[in-house]
Amino acid sequence: MDPFIAIHKKQEQVPWLKEPPAEPEWSEPPEDERGRKSRHRWLWPLTILLLLMLLVYAHWRFDREEARRKAEAPPDVMRRAGEVNQQQVRDLIHGALQKRESEPARGRAGPAVPADRAARFDFSAVQASENKRQQGDVLMDLGKQDLALEAYVDALRLNPRHRKAWQSLARWYLAVEEDSMAQVCLETAMALGAQDSALLNALSVIYRQQGRLDEALKLWDINRTLSQATPESDFNEALARLENGEVRLARQRIETYLAAHADDRTAVRMQAYTWAAEGEPLKSMMILKQALRRWPREAALHADAAAAAALAWLPELAVEHLAWLTNLTSPEVVGALLREPAFSEFIQTDLGREFESGLQTAGRGSTLSRPRLLDPLRLDLAPQRTVY
């Protein structure tokens, strides 16, 4: 037998000697089907990303509208919330002070506690009150005043003698311009033993606005015994002294304030004003000249310098500063300023009349009222509030 034939037959008898079957050829799917699968693969991630973007945008719009709503009319909204809780606060004040008056004074022998009645201290209520106060402070910082008020009232319900809670509640009433309730809260905190510099300054500001200068001065003196540096008290006392006609004492306080706040332009103007009020316009000019080297384009400083120069009979220097002021503001503003008492003699001079005539020509047709023109140049004597 032919050996090749024998090998062929052997392969037919033994399966594993046969040649393996040919693998089927792989065919690629059509191009349109591949594109459809690729699009489906990216569809879900893009949908999720789009939903997240929509959620972020909606949250941003909500926060923006909420902030705009509160910025438009915060006093009215907060005042309505405060009126609801005022009676509750007054009841808490009565309870806190009544409880304190019933206790023995420090250093004195009080009534003995019966042996069968141990003194109890509700630590859990005190801790819960402090937590509520801290929660209210956080809400206050976030601008959620209505929720902050509820937290403060809850804190005082738990512990009516919580001094810091009374201070925080006073800050809330100051923020909504309810000075009467702020005063009650601050006085309650002081009656409970609080001695805080910011508290004393805030209460003294309220007393000063009410015309109770003697009480405000006592608080400012107490404040200085508590803290060596009390710039807010110095500034507010200077304002009070100045309004009361005590120019020299006002200057002493404002100079103390400027030692810590040399960049306060209002305080610099007050210092210059005190010298002019005492008949020393040249000293006032020296202070304003130094200030103008630092702030050469400050319109209020040029207005004060022009007034001081007019009082010192320096018409050329007054015209120089009035020209600066004209460039920084308008001829109408300067023309209205010349009607002030400090320029009464200046406008009688030839140079003053010539300058005023030029202003009338340049500012013809003005429709602004005189008080409105002078508002940006007036010295602000409003008391400073302290946020604590």
Side-chain angles (χ1 to χ4, degrees):
M1 178 182 295
D2 191 352
F4 293 100
I5 296 176
I7 290 173
H8 179 69
K9 288 183 176 181
K10 189 68 174 177
Q11 289 177 348
E12 291 179 351
Q13 294 175 2
V14 183
W16 53 270
L17 289 178
K18 296 181 180 180
E19 294 182 0
E23 296 182 359
E25 295 183 359
W26 181 78
S27 60
E28 295 184 354
E31 186 174 353
D32 58 344
E33 185 177 352
R34 290 203 311 270
R36 191 183 307 112
K37 289 183 178 180
S38 177
R39 286 194 298 271
H40 289 171
R41 186 183 309 145
W42 292 102
L43 182 61
W44 280 108
L46 289 175
T47 304
I48 294 173
L49 180 61
L50 181 61
L51 290 174
L52 289 175
M53 292 175 64
L54 289 174
L55 288 174
V56 171
Y57 176 74
H59 182 70
W60 174 77
R61 283 296 301 271
F62 176 80
D63 289 343
R64 183 179 178 183
E65 290 297 324
E66 187 73 10
R68 183 186 61 80
R69 180 182 64 82
K70 291 183 178 180
E72 286 179 351
D76 295 338
V77 175
M78 295 300 104
R79 189 172 292 109
R80 288 196 295 270
E83 290 173 354
V84 176
N85 291 276
Q86 278 191 13
Q87 187 58 43
Q88 301 176 9
V89 172
R90 293 185 186 277
D91 294 340
L92 290 169
I93 292 172
H94 178 71
L97 296 182
Q98 187 178 29
K99 183 176 181 181
R100 182 174 178 82
E101 290 172 359
S102 64
E103 293 180 349
R106 294 182 181 179
R108 299 178 184 176
V113 179
D116 57 346
R117 184 166 58 88
R120 292 178 299 175
F121 179 77
D122 194 350
F123 179 78
S124 60
V126 172
Q127 186 62 38
S129 175
E130 174 62 15
N131 293 338
K132 278 289 185 180
R133 183 196 69 83
Q134 294 179 4
Q135 178 184 352
D137 289 344
V138 172
L139 292 170
M140 191 73 177
D141 294 337
L142 293 175
K144 301 180 179 180
Q145 287 93 339
D146 49 349
L147 298 178
L149 177 61
E150 295 178 4
Y152 294 146
V153 174
D154 291 341
L156 291 171
R157 284 200 191 100
L158 293 168
N159 182 16
R161 296 182 55 194
H162 196 336
R163 296 192 298 260
K164 290 185 178 180
W166 285 114
Q167 291 180 234
S168 297
L169 186 60
R171 181 178 69 149
W172 190 94
Y173 281 116
L174 288 173
V176 299
E177 301 178 1
E178 288 285 350
D179 289 351
S180 59
M181 289 300 297
Q183 175 185 346
V184 172
C185 295
L186 291 171
E187 289 174 344
T188 304
M190 288 189 62
L192 293 174
Q195 292 184 341
D196 183 80
S197 177
L199 180 151
L200 293 172
N201 182 67
L203 186 57
S204 63
V205 166
I206 296 175
Y207 285 163
R208 182 206 153 197
Q209 289 176 326
Q210 296 174 351
R212 301 161 62 179
L213 182 58
D214 293 338
E215 297 178 66
L217 291 174
K218 290 179 182 178
L219 291 180
W220 286 322
D221 291 337
I222 295 173
N223 202 3
R224 293 187 187 92
T225 62
L226 296 176
S227 177
Q228 294 181 353
T230 55
E232 294 84 5
S233 295
D234 293 330
F235 185 86
N236 285 300
E237 183 177 351
L239 293 176
R241 299 285 190 185
L242 195 58
E243 291 178 343
N244 204 37
E246 303 174 25
V247 180
R248 189 179 300 274
L249 292 174
R251 184 169 62 250
Q252 292 176 359
R253 291 304 175 198
I254 206 64
E255 288 175 353
T256 304
Y257 173 80
L258 282 171
H261 296 274
D263 293 333
D264 193 330
R265 304 178 194 185
T266 302
V268 173
R269 295 180 64 200
M270 285 178 58
Q271 184 186 22
Y273 175 81
T274 58
W275 284 112
E278 284 193 322
E280 297 284 351
L282 292 178
K283 291 184 178 180
S284 178
M285 277 297 308
M286 292 175 59
I287 295 173
L288 292 169
K289 279 288 188 181
Q290 293 177 359
L292 284 169
R293 291 192 189 100
R294 302 175 63 186
W295 306 295
R297 299 187 63 81
E298 184 70 23
L301 291 175
H302 281 288
D304 292 345
L311 291 172
W313 283 90
L314 299 173
E316 295 84 0
L317 190 58
V319 168
E320 177 184 344
H321 289 289
L322 289 172
W324 264 96
L325 186 61
T326 305
N327 294 330
L328 293 173
T329 57
S330 67
E332 295 83 5
V333 172
V334 180
L337 184 66
L338 290 177
R339 306 274 75 81
E340 292 296 302
F343 297 94
S344 59
E345 297 180 355
F346 167 76
I347 59 176
Q348 300 301 324
T349 63
D350 294 338
L351 191 59
R353 283 194 294 267
E354 181 182 355
F355 184 81
E356 187 179 18
S357 176
L359 285 177
Q360 292 175 355
T361 303
R364 188 171 295 137
S366 173
T367 58
L368 295 178
S369 62
R370 181 170 174 268
R372 184 179 174 187
L373 288 169
L374 290 180
D375 282 344
L377 304 180
R378 292 193 184 279
L379 186 62
D380 184 14
L381 297 181
Q384 289 188 348
R385 295 188 179 277
T386 303
V387 179
Y388 52 90

